[in-house]
C-alpha cells in the first residue's frame, strides 16, 4: 500500500496574523497521468477577517479571497527512470486547468489565462506562476466582482501547488461603502503582495 499523502507545510503564523482561517482539508484524486493516479493533499483558507469586515459594513456574507496549498503524491509511485523534470510540464498544465475549473465551480465567468512569471520560493526551488482573471455578478450587491488568481507549481521536497485569488478593486469601492475601515480599503496590490508571499512560503 502506498503511504497516505502528506499535507504541505504552510506559514501558519502568517496566515493567523493575516486573518486567514482553515476552511477545508482534504485528500482527493486531482488528475490522472498515463501511468499513475495523482492525489493531492490540500489545505484551503478563507480571508475570514476580510469576510467579517464586509459583512459588518454591508450585511453581505461571502468569500472574497482564498488561498490553498496542495502536496501531490503518485499511485503507483513514479518509476526510477521518470524524474520530476520529465513530468513537471504535465503537472503544471493539469494544475492550471484544475484551478480554472475551480473558479468556474465557484460561479465565476469569463475565466481567462494570463501571463506567467518565474519566482524562487522560500525553500529555494523555482516555481512558475500563472495568472487568471474572472468575474462574478453579485446579485446581493448590484456589482460585478472581478478577480485575479495566481497558481504556482514547483518541485522541491515533492510536487507542490499553491494558489489563490483576490478582488481587482478595493472592497470599499466595489461595494460603495460610505465609511470603510482600513481593511476594506486595501488595494489589489496589497492583496497580490500578501498572496504571493503565502505561495512562496509553502513547502
Amino acid at each position: 500500500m502506498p503511504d497516505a499523502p502528506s499535507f504541505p507545510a504552510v506559514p501558519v503564523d502568517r496566515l493567523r496574523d493575516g486573518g486567514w482561517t482553515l476552511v477545508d482539508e482534504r485528500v482527493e484524486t486531482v488528475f490522472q497521468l498515463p501511468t499513475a493516479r495523482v492525489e493531492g493533499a490540500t489545505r484551503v483558507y478563507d480571508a475570514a477577517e476580510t469576510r467579517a469586515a464586509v459583512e459588518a459594513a454591508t450585511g453581505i456574507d461571502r468569500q472574497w479571497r482564498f488561498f490553498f496549498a496542495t502536496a501531490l503524491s503518485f499511485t503507483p509511485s513514479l518509476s526510477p527512470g521518470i524524474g520530476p523534470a520529465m513530468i513537471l510540464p504535465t503537472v503544471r498544465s493539469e494544475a492550471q486547468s484544475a484551478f480554472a475549473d475551480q473558479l468556474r465551480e465557484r460561479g465565476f465567468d469569463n475565466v481567462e489565462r494570463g501571463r506567467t512569471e518565474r519566482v524562487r520560493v522560500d525553500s529555494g526551488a523555482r516555481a512558475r506562476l500563472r495568472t487568471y482573471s474572472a468575474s462574478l455578478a453579485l446579485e446581493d450587491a448590484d456589482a460585478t466582482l472581478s478577480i485575479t488568481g495566481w497558481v504556482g507549481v514547483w518541485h522541491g521536497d515533492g510536487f507542490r501547488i499553491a494558489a489563490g485569488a483576490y478582488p481587482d478593486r478595493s472592497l470599499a469601492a466595489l461595494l460603495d461603502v460610505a465609511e470603510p475601515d482600513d481593511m476594506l480599503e486595501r488595494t489589489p496590490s496589497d492583496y497580490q503582495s500578501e498572496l504571493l508571499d503565502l505561495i512562496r512560503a509553502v513547502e
Side-chain angles (χ1 to χ4, degrees):
M1 291 288 291
D3 294 335
S6 298
F7 285 93
V10 296
V12 176
D13 292 345
R14 192 178 303 176
L15 286 161
R16 183 191 62 242
D17 294 345
W20 296 84
T21 299
L22 179 67
V23 294
D24 192 13
E25 193 172 66
R26 63 183 182 269
V27 176
E28 61 186 353
T29 298
V30 289
F31 50 87
Q32 295 276 160
L33 296 176
T35 59
R37 182 177 76 253
V38 185
E39 290 190 321
T42 300
R43 290 186 166 120
V44 184
Y45 292 82
D46 178 28
E49 285 189 3
T50 299
R51 184 171 188 159
V54 172
E55 185 177 16
T58 68
I60 299 170
D61 179 28
R62 63 166 294 112
Q63 187 177 72
W64 301 98
R65 298 188 290 147
F66 68 89
F67 162 73
F68 71 83
T70 300
L72 299 182
S73 62
F74 300 82
T75 305
S77 299
L78 296 176
S79 66
I82 300 178
M86 294 176 65
I87 64 168
L88 183 57
T90 300
V91 171
R92 183 184 299 122
S93 177
E94 292 287 350
Q96 292 172 357
S97 294
F99 181 72
D101 289 342
Q102 289 174 27
L103 292 178
R104 296 184 184 98
E105 290 169 3
R106 290 170 179 265
F108 285 91
D109 296 317
N110 305 314
V111 177
E112 295 184 0
R113 190 167 64 168
R115 71 183 190 277
T116 62
E117 292 187 14
R118 291 183 179 274
V119 301
R120 190 176 292 279
V121 297
D122 293 355
S123 66
R126 288 192 176 276
R128 181 180 293 178
L129 305 178
R130 182 174 290 280
T131 63
Y132 282 81
S133 61
S135 60
L136 173 67
L138 302 176
E139 296 179 359
D140 48 3
D142 192 26
T144 297
L145 172 62
S146 297
I147 63 163
T148 295
W150 292 78
V151 54
V153 182
W154 67 94
H155 184 275
D157 181 19
F159 286 95
R160 296 291 183 268
I161 303 168
Y166 52 84
D168 283 349
R169 301 173 63 192
S170 77
L171 291 168
L174 174 68
L175 302 172
D176 195 24
V177 179
E179 296 182 1
D181 63 19
D182 290 344
M183 183 165 292
L184 298 189
E185 290 189 314
R186 293 185 66 191
T187 67
S189 178
D190 296 331
Y191 292 146
Q192 175 181 319
S193 178
E194 180 181 11
L195 176 60
L196 295 185
D197 283 347
L198 292 174
I199 289 174
R200 285 192 293 265
V202 171
E203 296 183 12

